[in-house]
């Protein structure tokens, strides 16, 4: 079985071997700004997970929402959606999964599936998808789509502009999903006794917020702020958003938040897959443009 990322490489290889496109064009598409933007967003997700910022936020959420299962649904969904604004939705799902396992273990000791369990885990997956459309950091499809949009239309869509239009949609979907799971996967129990205290204990066990967590959060939010400000500050408009977000990746290693072992943990399989998607996408665009006859005067 060949990894999908390696299969993706054949997209570029076949274009060159069959003389469809020159190597410079076929392989350059594998590392377009959109693909590098996705790489940087995946690194941000790694930082949130490694530093413990996601766990700290999740424990705080549980301590606030309390022990009502309806509010636990809502709290888990809101945290999941919020995290997808600053890290990849796949990384959010991986981070939230252990927390949901802890919640569910306190809900029942029975091995039989429950409506609450089904709703909790399926809801998290659906909400991660809904929240990920709000910013470019949430999923690869946003950065890839805007990359194609810029090449076809010649207009760049800023980080803030995308969020401005997608924020209401993403959060409306989140609350609609909460209502859906409350109706079709209504919890068998109204409360989970002791959950709030356990969340407080787990949060307290992490200790006070560390300098590394503060530094990591500061780097991430400053980069997001600069990307958002591009639309309003003329001097920043010529600077590509990919360069801005890659500054965070560089600083994570400069300040030793990440090391070489973390770099080896980057899901290169996914990045190669997206690179292949970009390459074949530009190939289809080339074929499409070639198939349209030119009309004089247009």
């Amino acid at each position: 079985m060949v990894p999908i990322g390696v299969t993706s490489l054949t997209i570029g290889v076949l274009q060159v071997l069959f003389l469809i496109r020159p190597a410079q064009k076929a392989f350059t598409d594998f590392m377009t700004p959109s693909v590098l933007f996705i790489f940087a967003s995946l690194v941000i997700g790694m930082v949130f997970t490694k530093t413990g910022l996601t766990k700290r936020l999740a424990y705080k959420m549980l301590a606030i929402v309390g022990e009502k299962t309806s509010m636990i649904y809502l709290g888990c969904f809101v945290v999941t959606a919020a995290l997808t604004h600053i890290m990849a939705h796949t990384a959010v799902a991986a981070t939230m999964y252990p927390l949901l396992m802890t919640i569910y273990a306190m809900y029942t000791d029975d091995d039989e599936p429950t409506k609450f369990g089904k709703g909790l885990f399926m809801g998290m997956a659906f909400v991660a998808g809904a929240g990920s459309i709000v910013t470019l950091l949430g999923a690869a499809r946003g950065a890839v789509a805007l990359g194609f949009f810029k090449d076809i239309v010649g207009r760049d869509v800023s980080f803030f502009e995308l969020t401005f239009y997608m924020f209401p949609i993403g959060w409306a979907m989140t609350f609609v999903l909460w209502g859906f799971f409350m109706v079709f996967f209504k919890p068998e129990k109204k409360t989970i006794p002791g959950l709030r205290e356990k969340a407080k204990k787990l949060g307290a066990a992490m200790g006070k917020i560390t300098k590394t967590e503060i530094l990591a959060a500061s780097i991430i939010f400053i980069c997001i702020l600069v990307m958002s400000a591009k639309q309003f500050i003329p001097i920043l408009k010529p600077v590509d958003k990919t360069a801005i977000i890659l500054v965070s990746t560089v600083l994570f290693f400069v300040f030793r938040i990440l090391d070489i072992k973390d770099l080896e943990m980057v899901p290169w399989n996914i990045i190669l897959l997206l690179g292949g998607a970009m390459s074949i996408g530009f190939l289809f665009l080339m074929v499409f443009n070639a198939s349209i006859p030119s009309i004089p005067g247009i």
Side-chain angles (χ1 to χ4, degrees):
M1 184 74 69
V2 179
I4 193 169
V6 176
T7 303
S8 183
L9 285 173
T10 62
I11 294 172
V13 172
L14 292 175
Q15 290 179 57
V16 176
L17 292 181
F18 285 94
L19 305 179
I20 300 171
R21 287 203 301 166
Q24 185 175 4
K25 290 187 176 180
F27 291 121
T28 298
D29 294 339
F30 275 78
M31 278 297 163
T32 62
S34 297
V35 175
L36 288 173
F37 188 97
I38 294 160
F39 163 73
S41 68
L42 291 172
V43 173
I44 287 175
M46 291 174 58
V47 169
F48 266 89
T49 302
K50 182 177 181 179
T51 58
L53 282 166
T54 47
K55 283 186 177 180
R56 193 180 293 279
L57 178 62
Y59 294 149
K60 187 69 175 177
M61 174 274 297
L62 288 175
I64 293 173
V65 300
E67 301 174 351
K68 286 186 177 181
T69 49
S70 59
M71 290 296 101
I72 292 170
Y73 260 165
L74 180 60
C76 290
F77 293 173
V78 166
V79 169
T80 299
L83 287 175
T84 58
H85 297 355
I86 50 178
M87 56 193 285
H89 64 310
T90 49
V92 173
T95 302
M96 290 296 293
Y97 182 79
L99 174 70
L100 301 189
M101 287 294 292
T102 302
I103 295 172
Y104 189 65
M106 296 187 67
Y107 182 78
T108 180
D109 294 327
D110 198 346
D111 292 333
E112 291 295 319
T114 64
K115 287 185 177 181
F116 177 72
K118 293 175 182 178
L120 195 63
F121 289 94
M122 287 195 298
M124 180 268 290
F126 279 107
V127 168
S132 67
I133 70 172
V134 176
T135 73
L136 287 173
L137 301 178
R141 58 181 175 271
V144 171
L146 292 190
F148 280 121
F149 182 80
K150 183 177 180 180
D151 286 312
I152 295 170
V153 181
R155 177 178 176 272
D156 193 15
V157 177
S158 68
F159 187 91
F160 177 81
E161 187 178 3
L162 176 76
T163 301
F164 179 80
Y165 290 107
M166 300 307 292
F167 187 91
I169 300 172
W171 279 100
M173 290 170 62
T174 298
F175 287 106
V176 167
L177 285 167
W178 175 54
F180 173 86
F181 284 101
M182 279 301 300
V183 172
F184 293 98
F185 294 89
K186 188 175 182 179
E188 295 86 351
K189 301 177 183 178
K190 290 187 177 182
T191 62
I192 304 179
L195 181 61
R196 174 176 280 170
E197 288 304 315
K198 184 163 186 176
K200 288 181 179 179
K201 287 180 181 179
L202 290 170
M206 293 185 69
K208 294 182 178 180
I209 189 167
T210 64
K211 291 182 180 180
T212 301
E213 290 175 271
I214 295 172
L215 179 61
S218 299
I219 291 171
I220 293 166
F221 286 110
I222 288 173
C223 286
I224 292 174
L225 183 63
V226 173
M227 283 192 292
S228 302
K230 263 174 55 70
Q231 188 173 352
F232 308 104
I233 303 177
I235 197 173
L236 292 176
K237 285 186 177 181
V239 183
D240 191 270
K241 55 182 173 288
T242 302
I244 297 171
I245 194 173
L246 281 172
V247 169
S248 66
T249 301
V250 174
L251 292 178
F252 291 147
F253 287 94
V254 168
F255 290 108
R256 312 259 182 211
I257 298 171
L258 297 177
D259 54 35
I260 187 64
K261 291 183 179 179
D262 296 307
L263 187 60
E264 293 170 355
M265 294 299 292
V266 172
W268 295 105
N269 191 46
I270 296 175
I271 294 171
L272 286 173
L273 170 63
L274 295 169
M278 293 295 291
S279 184
I280 198 171
F282 284 118
L283 171 62
F284 287 152
L285 179 62
M286 181 192 75
V287 173
F288 176 76
N289 289 335
S291 66
I292 299 177
S294 59
I295 301 175
I298 296 182

